[in-house]
Amino acid sequence: MQGQLGFDSMPKKLVRVTPSKLATWVDCPRRYRMTYIDRPTPQRGGAYAHSTLGAVVHNALRAFFDLPLNKRTAETGAALVTTHWKDDGFADSGQAAVYRERAREWVARYLSETDVSVDPIGLERWVSAPAGTIVAEGRVDRIDDRDGELVIIDYKTGRQALTTDDARGSQALAMYAIATTRTLRRKCRRVELHHLPTGEVAVWEHTDESLARHQKRAEETAEELQLAADTFDAGGDPDVLFPPQVGRQCSWCDFRRHCPEGQAAGPPTAPWGMLPP
């Protein structure tokens, strides 16, 4: 029977991918290998202040929306920033204190301009669902219910304000919408980027067609990375299968110390060098 049907008739195993996994592959196959393939994982570099800042804001907002309604005030949100604060990656305690106060102000302003009476459907919610040849999955910052439809909300604390094009082109948001629709069995088309430093919100309303385009691109990337991983497992040359993608990103790569090409690309960025102004 096997000889008659052939192995080509057997369904392919779905590739499980997160937005971070796909983005890492596109950014640099060598970094992808060190992150997801090599075991033990090579030692990473130290903490970056902008990552610490982002994590603190995310944690504070998650804790805020977990509170009962009568405790959801802007002042409480600011206090939660202090509760979750860490100094990791900052130049010194003085710089950390400046950004702690900025983060408190960002969160307080954001919450004062937001309908905090809404109880989100999900906070840091993990969603996972088959989509074509992949299993799209990831952790969504917040999922709201608005007039019976679900909305993906992603918090951002980066240096630059975001635009509609950022929301429209975000593969991460599209994958979250696809996975959320199938996980929760509710329509999800609207995606939003909430930029805390400026208080601006970038919005995009997806269609079936636009989500299909994002899914197709994700499937193509997943096929590439899975082929490289399978060939590596079969004895392939890691330097051929996972070449370095040299660029500006080498200056702050977690695995810079293990990559001569990345070191040669330019000097390292200071741990606090990517903080918003």
Side-chain angles (χ1 to χ4, degrees):
M1 181 65 71
Q2 287 182 352
Q4 293 175 3
L5 293 178
F7 288 105
D8 289 343
S9 64
M10 298 177 65
K12 291 183 178 180
K13 182 179 180 181
L14 300 182
V15 182
R16 308 187 76 92
V17 290
T18 62
S20 178
K21 200 171 186 180
L22 295 172
T24 301
W25 172 263
V26 172
D27 188 48
C28 178
R30 176 174 287 176
R31 184 159 69 91
Y32 177 90
R33 191 200 81 209
M34 292 183 182
T35 304
Y36 298 104
I37 303 292
D38 289 351
R39 293 295 180 268
T41 303
Q43 185 178 4
R44 296 174 182 265
Y48 282 93
H50 71 282
S51 297
T52 299
L53 179 65
V56 167
V57 169
H58 279 71
N59 289 335
L61 290 172
R62 176 184 179 177
F64 178 86
F65 282 102
D66 266 338
L67 293 171
L69 181 57
N70 63 347
K71 293 186 178 181
R72 294 181 193 172
T73 66
E75 292 75 16
T76 299
L80 285 169
V81 170
T82 301
T83 299
H84 290 277
W85 187 259
K86 294 181 179 180
D87 286 357
D88 298 348
F90 289 91
D92 50 40
S93 59
Q95 185 189 56
V98 169
Y99 276 89
R100 182 175 64 241
E101 187 56 35
R102 287 188 189 179
R104 285 173 52 90
E105 292 172 358
W106 297 344
V107 169
R109 181 188 60 203
Y110 173 73
L111 295 174
S112 68
E113 298 172 351
T114 299
D115 181 3
V116 298
S117 66
V118 173
D119 283 321
I121 296 296
L123 293 169
E124 299 290 337
R125 172 68 187 264
W126 182 264
V127 292
S128 178
T133 61
I134 63 175
V135 176
E137 54 190 18
R139 195 175 303 280
V140 187
D141 291 346
R142 197 172 101 209
I143 305 172
D144 282 1
D145 182 346
R146 296 186 197 158
D147 301 322
E149 293 190 9
L150 302 182
V151 178
I152 300 297
I153 294 173
D154 198 34
Y155 302 126
K156 295 296 183 184
T157 57
R159 296 172 62 88
Q160 296 181 340
L162 302 166
T163 67
T164 299
D165 286 343
D166 292 310
R168 178 181 60 190
S170 170
Q171 187 175 61
L173 293 181
M175 288 184 63
Y176 292 151
I178 292 169
T180 295
T181 294
R182 301 184 184 186
T183 299
L184 301 181
R185 299 182 181 182
R186 301 267 304 278
K187 184 177 180 180
C188 181
R189 293 291 182 270
R190 184 182 175 96
V191 297
E192 299 181 354
L193 294 169
H194 292 202
H195 189 243
L196 274 292
T198 61
E200 295 182 3
V201 176
V203 179
W204 184 251
E205 194 82 27
H206 275 294
T207 63
D208 290 342
E209 291 75 20
S210 65
L211 289 177
R213 287 194 295 271
H214 277 286
Q215 180 179 318
K216 183 176 186 298
R217 185 159 57 92
E219 289 180 293
E220 291 170 348
T221 303
E223 184 177 9
E224 290 177 7
L225 64 86
Q226 190 60 47
L227 177 60
D230 291 343
T231 306
F232 173 72
D233 289 341
D237 186 337
D239 289 332
V240 173
L241 297 168
F242 303 95
Q245 183 71 38
V246 177
R248 291 178 58 251
Q249 70 277 8
C250 296
S251 295
W252 59 82
C253 178
D254 286 341
F255 299 108
R256 177 183 170 85
R257 68 179 65 182
H258 307 289
C259 182
E261 293 88 344
Q263 294 175 34
T269 298
W272 55 88
M274 290 182 288
L275 285 166

